[in-house]
Amino acid sequence: MLIVTRRAGEKVMLGDDVVVAVMEIVGSTVRIGIDAPRSVPVYREEIWHAVKEENEAAAQADTGAMQDAANRSG
Amino acid sequence: MSAVTLDSTRFGAVQIAAESVIEFSNGLIGLGGSRYALLTSDAGSPFAWLHSMEDADVALPVTNPWLFFSEFAVDLSDGEAERLGVRDPNATDVWVTVRAASRLEDFSANLRAPILVWNGKGHQVINEAQNAPVRASLFPAAMTEQVVAA
């Protein structure tokens, strides 16, 4: 992992299009601003991770289980 | 109207209309893929399958969230709505993924990351609404008892 030291107000470029700015540092909290092209979605990591896990779990479903659930909910 | 073949380990070779293929420019979150199709099973089933056009193994059961969660709402941040170009919520279909389980009361839906579909394009988004958990029980225990009793 690349580690760089930045102060409030300073920025990091990811390629030519993505700007990550350190907006403010208060205690143990850092506010970060991200400027990215529309094609690049930005997620908080823990949410991205939870949704990834949920998508992977959903993709394990077999047709029998879903048929059973459909029958019970009809 | 041209047809394309969807290869599926679950359903075999399925013919679908070319225009029913949905383009996901960012894929599903953490799962990727760029082209999916919605396979609706039997009439009357609340579930459909969001099936990859590219990987025969990849298919996620989905449902209309309002069938199970009448209070459900999608709340996008302004930046996200603008980024995606969502202009007419009424012309947008909303689906949520379903996690199956061996016990009915362990089935859940992901209300936190609904899938929006419009004009042949799909995006899985982060729902900023309150009460939108990643795992919302589809069949709460009380309801399961009622169904069993009936």
Side-chain angles (χ1 to χ4, degrees):
Chain A
M1 181 186 286
L2 171 71
I3 298 172
V4 291
T5 301
R6 302 272 65 192
R7 297 169 191 281
E10 293 183 338
K11 300 172 183 175
V12 173
M13 298 296 302
L14 307 184
D16 290 339
D17 294 330
V18 179
V19 185
V20 179
V22 178
M23 310 297 287
E24 187 183 23
I25 304 167
V26 180
S28 61
T29 303
V30 179
R31 283 168 58 84
I32 293 171
I34 297 154
D35 209 349
R38 283 175 178 231
S39 57
V40 180
V42 176
Y43 308 109
R44 291 177 174 84
E45 188 274 342
E46 67 276 15
I47 294 174
W48 175 85
H49 198 271
V51 174
K52 170 186 162 71
E53 202 174 286
E54 219 47 42
N55 281 343
E56 288 169 349
Q60 300 299 313
D62 65 64
T63 53
M66 294 314 298
Q67 187 61 55
D68 190 36
N71 293 342
R72 304 278 197 100
S73 58
Chain B
M1 196 167 82
S2 59
V4 290
T5 303
L6 184 159
D7 288 315
S8 170
T9 51
R10 291 175 177 82
F11 305 105
V14 183
Q15 296 292 314
I16 60 165
E19 53 268 33
S20 64
V21 175
I22 305 164
E23 304 282 343
F24 283 75
S25 57
N26 295 118
L28 294 180
I29 294 172
L31 209 62
S34 61
R35 297 166 74 236
Y36 289 83
L38 277 166
L39 302 183
T40 44
S41 43
D42 324 326
S45 169
F47 304 110
W49 290 84
L50 185 65
H51 203 301
S52 170
M53 296 295 298
E54 299 144 330
D55 187 333
D57 285 335
V58 174
L60 293 77
V62 293
T63 191
N64 173 342
W66 288 285
L67 291 178
F68 293 91
F69 308 96
S70 56
E71 304 291 302
F72 177 78
V74 180
D75 188 359
L76 297 182
S77 65
D78 290 347
E80 187 70 347
E82 190 198 352
R83 185 179 81 78
L84 298 175
V86 183
R87 287 188 186 83
D88 184 2
N90 294 323
T92 303
D93 290 331
V94 179
W95 298 89
V96 290
T97 61
V98 172
R99 177 195 274 252
S102 51
R103 300 188 320 161
L104 214 53
E105 57 265 42
D106 294 331
F107 272 66
S108 62
N110 183 355
L111 304 187
R112 192 83 159 103
I115 292 162
L116 310 186
V117 178
W118 73 97
N119 287 343
K121 295 186 175 62
H123 289 277
Q124 188 170 30
V125 300
I126 301 300
N127 187 2
E128 306 285 345
Q130 301 292 315
N131 298 321
V134 168
R135 277 185 223 167
S137 185
L138 274 183
F139 307 105
M143 186 183 150
T144 311
E145 281 165 30
Q146 277 178 14
V147 172
V148 172

